[in-house]
Amino acid sequence: MIPLTQNEILDILDRVMQDITNRMARIYPCKQDSAPSGDVCTVCTTFEGGYEADLTLYMDTALLTKLAQSAMQEETFSLQDIEDFMKEYFNVICGHIVARLFQAAHISSRFRIPRFYSGLHPPDGEGSPCCVLSYVSGSNERAQLIHQLPAHETK
C-alpha cells in the first residue's frame, strides 16, 4: 500500500495529464464526465515497484491527430506515426507521474513500455478501475484516463 490517498493520486494523474497536454500541444483539456467517441485509440501500461497500477488512456482519434499535428508541426500522418506519437506522449505522461509520486511520497516506481491499440481496448488487469478521469477539448474531442489497481490491492 502506498502512503498517498486515492484523491492525492487522482490529483497527480489529473495535473500531469493536463500539464503535458498543454505543454506538448497547447491544447487545454477540461475535466468533464463523458466517454470517448467510437473512433478512438488506446494506449496502456503497468506501473511496478513502490506504486503498482495499470493505466489506460482512451483518446478520440481526432484529438490524437490534433495533438500530433501541433506537437510535430506536420499536417498528415500514417497510422504508424499516430501510434508512435501516442506511445511517446503516454511515455512522457507516465514519466512525470513517476517523478511526482517520488516527489510527493518518495515512492520509487517504473512502468512498462506502453502498448498501443487502434480502437477501444479494455484494461488488461483483473482489478476494477478505481478512478476514471474524463476530458473534453475545446473542439469537443474526448479522452479518458483509467487508473486501475491490481487485483490484490482491491480486495
Side-chain angles (χ1 to χ4, degrees):
M1 199 74 178
I2 66 170
L4 293 172
T5 66
Q6 182 174 328
N7 284 340
E8 289 170 322
I9 291 170
L10 274 175
D11 186 54
I12 289 171
L13 297 175
D14 179 43
R15 286 177 189 243
V16 168
M17 180 73 180
Q18 292 197 41
D19 290 348
I20 298 305
T21 304
N22 294 345
R23 249 188 260 160
M24 286 182 79
R26 298 181 201 264
I27 293 175
Y28 304 95
C30 296
K31 277 177 54 175
Q32 182 177 331
D33 288 338
S34 61
S37 70
D39 183 15
V40 299
C41 293
T42 304
V43 67
C44 54
T45 193
T46 299
F47 285 82
E48 301 168 329
Y51 172 66
E52 294 183 5
D54 292 319
L55 199 61
T56 302
L57 175 63
Y58 299 130
M59 186 172 286
D60 285 355
T61 303
L63 179 56
L64 178 56
T65 301
K66 198 177 281 187
L67 276 168
Q69 286 171 337
S70 181
M72 299 171 64
Q73 299 179 353
E74 301 274 335
E75 286 299 314
T76 58
F77 299 97
S78 68
L79 182 58
Q80 186 62 51
D81 292 334
I82 294 289
E83 176 179 341
D84 292 344
F85 175 80
M86 187 166 188
K87 287 177 9 183
E88 184 57 32
Y89 168 73
F90 199 57
N91 257 332
V92 173
I93 288 171
C94 292
H96 280 262
I97 290 168
V98 166
R100 292 207 184 164
L101 288 170
F102 187 79
Q103 289 170 347
H106 300 290
I107 298 167
S108 181
S109 295
R110 63 193 171 283
F111 57 94
R112 294 182 187 169
I113 296 169
R115 297 170 314 279
F116 174 87
Y117 303 93
S118 185
L120 192 66
H121 185 82
D124 292 334
E126 296 175 19
S128 59
C130 70
C131 68
V132 177
L133 297 170
S134 298
Y135 300 92
V136 176
S137 74
S139 302
N140 206 33
E141 296 115 350
R142 296 180 169 106
Q144 200 168 57
L145 190 63
I146 299 171
H147 174 258
Q148 181 174 332
L149 295 174
H152 69 274
E153 292 281 335
T154 59
K155 291 182 181 175

